[in-house]
Amino acid sequence: MKLIRFGNVGAEKPGIEKANGERIDVSAFGEDYTEAFFGGDGIERLAAWLAKHEGECPVVSAETRLGPPLTRPSKIVCVGLNYAQHAAESGMAIPKEPVLFFKATSAIVGPNDDVIIPKGSEKTDWEVELAIVIGKKASYVSEEEALNHVAGYVLHNDYSERAFQIEKEGQWCKGKGCDTFAPIGPFIATKDEVSDPNNLELWLKLNGETVQHSSTSDFIFNVQEVVSYISQYMTLLPGDIISTGTPFGVGLGFNPPKYLKPGDVVELGIEGLGSSKQAVKAYQ
Ligand code: ZN
């Protein structure tokens, strides 16, 4: 199943995208895509409800805005430097264990919303990433059990302000949590739709030119490893997002580096998870 949310900012409703691409409104099911939904077998209950009611669900027009395909989660945990070539372009060593950082959940926006270059920013950069959505509370889970705690997968652009991230004192989070820096979607593909999350093609284009093109088969730490690893340090709650890192080809890695400016258009996608597109705007 492909879970979507649609409508105006702050007033999104739950829906699904059918196999034929048609989007339907499932608000009559009575639940939004929240922590309680994911943690309470919502995906299975929604599938059972749809088997009886799908024909009665209103169609959502293709022009309707897509919102993030879940309500604001308790946290976004990101894995840094999870592809060897990206670690090299960042001038950093290949990590011996997963590098973690947090991204503010207030950065979440819809997949095709504008990205705003923050106040004072000169080094706003892109990062196509596979994100994991947690389905069942995960605390001290093993790698063997890890996928039992996953609800599905979603496309994420982990926008990053490199000066805020790297040139300021302290942790990376200053350059990761700016408003609009986490476009999520178009949809969450439930895990039954993704046969191997550790072998998906992913790409990103800047103004029509491909700058990132890789596969999650190049992960240093795969999906099972990162879910298990993070759960040793914090409890992952249903709906929490883990973003698994970006491959080679970010602006920081160009010589000279290439950063976003107003008017740029960023498009990205992952095999089986659709694509998204953000127009770059200046802060006002
Ligand atoms: Zn990232």
Side-chain angles (χ1 to χ4, degrees):
M1 207 160 36
K2 296 183 172 76
L3 308 179
I4 60 162
R5 288 167 75 253
F6 65 92
N8 294 333
V9 177
E12 291 92 347
K13 292 177 175 178
I16 63 156
E17 185 172 303
K18 300 202 293 189
N20 65 6
E22 190 176 63
R23 295 169 179 156
I24 57 171
D25 178 343
V26 302
S27 352
F29 175 62
E31 294 176 44
D32 204 349
Y33 303 146
T34 62
E35 180 181 334
F37 171 83
F38 291 107
D41 297 321
I43 291 170
E44 292 76 9
R45 290 185 293 104
L46 175 59
W49 181 87
L50 278 167
K52 287 187 190 147
H53 299 282
E54 186 173 313
E56 302 150 28
C57 294
V59 172
V60 178
S61 81
E63 296 74 49
T64 305
R65 171 186 174 268
L66 288 178
L70 76 178
T71 63
R72 190 182 300 135
S74 87
K75 53 194 170 292
I76 305 173
V77 189
C78 297
V79 183
L81 309 172
N82 199 21
Y83 291 80
Q85 256 193 306
H86 172 62
E89 75 176 338
S90 306
M92 301 195 202
I94 292 177
K96 293 187 185 64
E97 51 187 300
V99 169
L100 303 182
F101 61 90
F102 279 114
K103 198 168 173 88
T105 56
S106 48
I108 294 174
V109 288
N112 305 310
D113 288 351
D114 294 340
V115 61
I116 309 296
I117 296 177
K119 209 173 181 175
S121 162
E122 293 181 350
K123 297 185 179 177
T124 293
D125 202 348
W126 55 85
E127 294 193 345
V128 59
E129 301 199 6
L130 171 70
I132 303 162
V133 179
I134 294 295
K136 205 164 81 182
K137 186 172 161 179
S139 175
Y140 303 112
V141 303
S142 66
E143 287 174 28
E144 292 67 34
E145 298 164 324
L147 292 185
N148 298 334
H149 295 262
V150 171
Y153 303 94
V154 67
L155 173 64
H156 173 218
N157 193 345
D158 176 24
Y159 279 107
S160 305
E161 214 297 337
R162 302 301 185 195
F164 298 179
Q165 178 192 349
I166 300 165
E167 297 166 25
K168 304 260 179 199
E169 298 291 337
Q171 301 182 324
W172 290 359
C173 61
K174 290 176 198 173
K176 295 287 191 172
C178 309
D179 287 353
T180 74
F181 268 25
I184 306 266
F187 51 77
I188 295 170
T190 52
K191 69 176 167 190
D192 55 290
E193 299 225 346
V194 178
S195 57
D196 184 2
N198 300 311
N199 188 19
L200 299 175
E201 195 179 341
L202 69 175
W203 55 270
L204 184 142
K205 291 180 186 178
L206 172 62
N207 301 325
E209 182 200 340
T210 300
V211 288
Q212 293 188 283
H213 191 183
S214 188
S215 166
T216 61
S217 60
D218 289 336
F219 276 150
I220 298 172
F221 303 105
N222 70 20
V223 166
Q224 296 89 308
E225 289 172 306
V226 301
V227 171
S228 170
Y229 182 86
I230 296 168
S231 80
Q232 310 305 311
Y233 298 97
M234 66 193 82
T235 295
L236 292 163
L237 296 176
D240 280 359
I241 292 171
I242 298 171
S243 202
T244 56
T246 202
F248 176 78
V250 300
L252 171 71
F254 280 75
N255 185 15
K258 197 171 193 171
Y259 294 117
L260 294 170
K261 53 188 189 312
D264 285 342
V265 175
V266 179
E267 277 181 272
L268 57 151
I270 301 184
E271 184 183 351
L273 300 181
S275 63
S276 68
K277 184 175 180 174
Q278 297 97 39
V280 180
K281 299 274 166 72
Y283 176 86
Q284 285 186 326

